[in-house]
Amino acid sequence: MNTSAETLEVAILGGGLAGLGASMECGAPVFEAASRAGGVAASDQVDGFSFDRGIHVLNSKSPKVLSFLADLGLDMVPITRVAQIYSHKVYTAYPFQVNTAGLPLRLRINSVWGFFNRNKHPDPTNYEEWMYRNIGTTFADTFLIPYSEKFWGVSPKEMTFEWTGNKVPMPSTLQVVRGALWSRQTAIGSNAMFHYPKNGGGYGAVARALEKRAGDIRLNHRAVELDTTARQVTFENGARISYDTLVNTIPINELVRITTDAPDEVREAASKLRTNSIRVVNLGIRRANVTDKHWVHFPEKDISFFRISSPSNFSPDMAPPGMSSISAEVSYDRNSPPDSEELFETVRRDLVRVGLLRDDDEIVVRHSYDIPFAYCIYDRNRKAAMRTLKDWYGERDVITCGRFGLWTYFWSDEAINSGRTTGRKVLKRMNGDSSVRAAG
Ligand SMILES: Cc1cc2nc3c(=O)[nH]c(=O)nc-3n(C[C@H](O)[C@H](O)[C@H](O)COP(=O)(O)OP(=O)(O)OC[C@H]3O[C@@H](n4cnc5c(N)ncnc54)[C@H](O)[C@@H]3O)c2cc1C
């Protein structure tokens, strides 16, 4: 079908939090491939259960972020984290660095000893060395390296560590010693207390609130062709637009794939960007309170999932009365997604093995969701590749933002902020401020 192009001053590709945030600021229409907005931060409603797309909580304590969400009409409730690690057949509180009491004695002694000697390791050049230098050899070898390999699907030797900032909890010596001797409850890290929407229907409430403030949202519009010379985008449904400025929030390597006039150096840069992929396996269970935990990490390789959460513990409306829910997250290679049926059974069996389900528990809902672009991998190529891509698109008035638009480990509030900052920048350009360039 060859329809004439709709002319737009600004168009936004992708209706996740970043795209919605950008539209909220500049009012431009959003073109979203899926039949609903929210991207990876949406929630799914299935037979009375609500499931987020992998665990989603608000980690930020920034008054600015909280008042922004309150202004959107969201009631974000503070919740004290109940999170654990399952290792050596024992549940201990998260994070492991400060909660080894309960684990085998030798492991506790070695963990503390390794922590004391961490400064003997040289300045790190990769994520694995960063772990040795910051938490010591035993913590790294027993927990974080196996967890990282399971989660990211690559060796931490291949990764850089500039993203670790507020993402990996850093303990004091006192906390490590106390945690090894007697305390099983030391709470550190940015989500020791978190916020979750009370409004109902899961974390997707945040995206739904943003949608109300955004411009026109065109669902079922998957961009399949971008010509940056003609400034035109074609969609799978046959629609076409022309634009002055394009805001991109879809994964940047997907954008390159559909760009007809991208030169070899741009394609080469995009091919260097790596991500992990996650299958979220959701189970609705006919039993109240199957667990009291919000989430549990599983570093050991013989368990199929790296993390589970229990949505029914985040808000009472997440499951029908008398029922509970569990979401298990399984990391996979994007080129070989696991078989769904087999995975359901593997996950159920592993949940029984770790004591979270009983063998005779009735599973009333089985649902799964694929996140092909889940967490971007920070490696030595990422920074230079992103610079090439941002510069090339920026010169063509395509501004890229959001988690995979910038290939960045953004949390939800940071993704919204990235979109809003871009939206404001675009608005200034629309209002004739020629000092605002598209790049960067
Ligand atoms: C498993 C998981 C757990 C997380 N947990 C937390 C948490 O606990 N707390 C927290 O704050 N953050 C969390 N995050 C991060 C948070 O979800 C993201 O930062 C945020 O949702 C990213 O929004 P975005 O708009 O940048 O990207 P996305 O949500 O990926 O949005 C991109 C949009 O583009 C659309 N799209 C793709 N291709 C096309 C195309 N060709 N044409 C048109 N549209 C297209 C997609 O459908 C999607 O809607 C988590 C993320 C993951 C993956």
Side-chain angles (χ1 to χ4, degrees):
M1 199 190 333
N2 194 5
T3 51
S4 64
E6 176 185 356
T7 306
L8 294 167
E9 203 172 352
V10 180
I12 299 168
L13 290 188
L17 296 181
L20 295 173
S23 178
M24 180 183 162
E25 294 295 332
C26 69
V30 176
F31 295 85
E32 164 58 46
S35 55
R36 52 194 293 209
V40 82
S43 305
D44 297 297
Q45 273 67 45
V46 194
D47 295 342
F49 289 84
S50 295
F51 296 105
D52 296 335
R53 293 174 170 177
I55 180 175
H56 270 83
V57 300
L58 181 72
N59 300 309
S60 174
K61 310 289 176 294
S62 152
K64 220 169 148 183
V65 170
L66 290 168
S67 78
F68 168 73
L69 295 174
D71 286 348
L72 289 179
L74 286 161
D75 189 358
M76 301 295 287
V77 185
I79 299 178
T80 301
R81 173 184 77 199
V82 183
Q84 299 204 320
I85 313 257
Y86 181 83
S87 173
H88 294 75
K89 298 193 168 21
V90 181
Y91 282 95
T92 49
Y94 169 88
F96 56 82
Q97 294 94 316
V98 291
N99 292 297
T100 47
L103 284 163
L105 184 61
R106 181 174 290 278
L107 178 58
R108 286 150 66 185
I109 294 169
N110 288 343
S111 297
V112 174
W113 183 248
F115 188 78
F116 277 135
N117 287 310
R118 67 194 185 285
N119 290 334
K120 290 189 180 149
H121 292 279
D123 281 346
T125 60
N126 60 46
Y127 180 36
E128 182 171 293
E129 290 173 7
W130 179 92
M131 293 183 215
Y132 287 140
R133 174 65 188 230
N134 283 281
I135 58 168
T137 325
T138 306
F139 277 137
D141 288 342
T142 313
F143 300 100
L144 208 46
I145 292 177
Y147 188 77
S148 292
E149 287 170 351
K150 199 171 168 185
F151 178 81
W152 298 102
V154 301
S155 161
K157 285 193 188 81
E158 294 176 49
M159 295 175 63
T160 57
F161 53 89
E162 75 263 30
W163 55 275
T164 48
N166 57 357
K167 308 289 194 286
V168 183
M170 294 309 300
S172 68
T173 304
L174 176 66
Q175 288 168 330
V176 171
V177 174
R178 193 181 58 189
L181 290 178
W182 70 87
S183 169
R184 297 182 185 197
Q185 295 301 334
T186 306
I188 60 166
S190 51
N191 54 22
M193 190 276 278
F194 60 85
H195 286 83
Y196 196 79
K198 192 182 174 190
N199 305 52
Y203 202 78
V206 174
R208 289 196 300 278
L210 278 174
E211 268 184 84
K212 291 190 189 134
R213 304 283 177 94
D216 190 13
I217 299 170
R218 318 262 183 101
L219 301 173
N220 302 307
H221 275 70
R222 177 178 295 281
V224 289
E225 209 174 279
L226 165 65
D227 181 337
T228 66
T229 313
R231 293 178 187 248
Q232 285 205 344
V233 182
T234 307
F235 298 92
E236 199 171 40
N237 61 11
R240 259 189 321 137
I241 56 163
S242 63
Y243 60 84
D244 291 337
T245 302
L246 186 67
V247 174
N248 171 63
T249 73
I250 76 171
I252 185 97
N253 58 355
E254 285 292 291
L255 189 75
V256 172
R257 192 179 56 77
I258 64 169
T259 303
T260 51
D261 49 352
D264 287 349
E265 54 156 330
V266 164
R267 294 195 186 283
E268 165 84 18
S271 72
K272 293 197 169 140
L273 296 172
R274 294 196 288 171
T275 172
N276 73 350
S277 301
I278 294 176
R279 170 80 50 84
V280 188
V281 176
N282 295 316
L283 301 177
I285 304 134
R286 191 184 298 285
R287 176 158 64 96
N289 310 320
V290 289
T291 173
D292 60 348
K293 302 162 187 65
H294 291 112
W295 68 86
V296 184
H297 296 272
F298 294 85
E300 290 168 358
K301 292 212 164 77
D302 63 332
I303 305 290
S304 50
F305 33 83
F306 63 84
R307 180 169 64 188
I308 67 98
S309 54
S310 181
S312 45
N313 287 342
F314 287 84
S315 169
D317 73 312
M318 298 292 281
M323 308 222 190
S324 317
S325 53
I326 290 186
S327 292
E329 293 171 70
V330 180
S331 185
Y332 69 89
D333 176 347
R334 193 145 60 92
N335 298 317
S336 51
D339 175 84
S340 290
E341 271 313 302
E342 232 173 78
L343 190 60
F344 271 119
E345 187 42 36
T346 309
V347 164
R348 194 199 64 81
R349 200 187 53 223
D350 285 348
L351 287 168
V352 173
R353 278 175 61 206
V354 299
L356 286 166
L357 279 187
R358 299 178 192 145
D359 209 15
D360 61 355
D361 268 326
E362 187 188 346
I363 309 296
V364 291
V365 160
R366 297 184 344 159
H367 171 263
S368 71
Y369 186 82
D370 249 330
I371 310 178
F373 294 89
Y375 290 80
C376 55
I377 292 172
Y378 281 71
D379 62 15
R380 288 189 188 84
N381 294 321
R382 181 194 153 274
K383 217 185 221 169
M386 274 313 301
R387 196 174 307 122
T388 302
L389 297 172
K390 273 171 73 176
D391 285 352
W392 189 80
Y393 280 106
E395 281 159 17
R396 284 153 187 81
D397 293 324
V398 179
I399 315 181
T400 189
C401 62
R403 184 161 160 117
F404 279 97
L406 292 176
W407 219 264
T408 303
Y409 193 158
F410 276 152
W411 276 330
S412 54
D413 54 299
E414 296 167 314
I416 296 172
N417 194 37
S418 165
R420 292 184 70 203
T421 305
T422 304
R424 282 194 288 263
K425 194 191 249 185
V426 164
L427 194 61
K428 272 193 179 171
R429 279 156 55 95
M430 285 161 82
N431 292 335
D433 185 344
S434 57
S435 67
V436 186
R437 282 189 67 240

